[in-house]
Amino acid sequence: MRTSLEVIVEVEIERPPPVVWAFVSDAERLPEWLGEFEAAREESDGPTEVGTVVRYTLKSGHRSGTFEIVEWDPPRRMAWDGPPLRWAGGAARPRGSHTLAETGEGRTSLVSRYQPELTGTQVLLGWYLKRWLRRQRLTDMQTLKAVVEVGGPS
């Protein structure tokens, strides 16, 4: 069994795209605004680019996985994809993207698309996981907005 979910969330942040990009594209800052992340770091040496691998650890169960940057267009768009992270008789493959656009002087629209692929028993929980993911990502976006807007000059 296999299925994909799609959750799209958007937020407007009172900072210019390069400032927002610097924050959302920094793997080590993911735990500051993604609620379920305990830690994240790049495993690849050198600058972040297509092919960079990020290792993350989730708070729930201290499970760890990776994803790879598959699209990198600073400060406009990035996308990621990774191998499935096993959980409760199934797995979820992390996939998604962030797209940034200037919406006025010093303002950025951030559209985040989360598209995890579920397998095994996770497919049966798909309806619940989609609702959970949407609620969690809406909360995460408000956290991101607050942190970036307070974080310094535009």
Side-chain angles (χ1 to χ4, degrees):
M1 285 190 293
R2 176 180 314 268
T3 191
S4 292
L5 305 179
E6 182 171 62
V7 170
I8 300 170
V9 291
E10 182 174 359
V11 67
E12 186 167 291
I13 299 174
E14 298 292 327
R15 290 285 181 260
V19 173
V20 178
W21 176 266
F23 197 91
V24 299
S25 66
D26 183 347
E28 292 187 7
R29 299 201 80 170
L30 291 174
E32 293 180 44
W33 63 281
L34 287 175
E36 74 273 18
F37 274 58
E38 182 174 79
R41 64 178 171 76
E42 289 186 4
E43 288 192 329
S44 308
D45 291 329
T48 305
E49 58 189 3
V50 170
T52 295
V53 174
V54 174
R55 175 160 298 280
Y56 62 92
T57 303
L58 301 179
K59 292 176 183 175
S60 174
H62 304 288
R63 294 173 293 120
S64 182
T66 61
F67 61 81
E68 180 179 341
I69 303 299
V70 295
E71 192 175 335
W72 187 255
D73 183 17
R76 291 177 287 281
R77 183 168 162 80
M78 67 179 290
W80 62 90
D81 192 357
L85 180 61
R86 300 197 57 71
W87 179 59
R93 175 178 158 197
R95 296 186 302 173
S97 64
H98 297 307
T99 303
L100 290 76
E102 188 168 357
T103 58
E105 191 172 323
R107 291 193 318 268
T108 301
S109 168
L110 171 63
V111 177
S112 296
R113 181 180 304 253
Y114 298 92
Q115 300 169 295
E117 181 182 79
L118 307 177
T119 60
T121 59
Q122 299 303 303
V123 172
L124 301 174
L125 297 171
W127 63 272
Y128 170 79
L129 293 173
K130 184 172 183 172
R131 285 181 48 206
W132 175 87
L133 184 61
R134 177 156 183 73
R135 277 195 309 263
Q136 182 64 49
R137 291 300 174 256
L138 287 170
T139 299
D140 294 340
M141 286 296 218
Q142 291 309 306
T143 300
L144 175 66
K145 178 179 173 64
V147 171
V148 173
E149 287 181 353
V150 173
S154 53

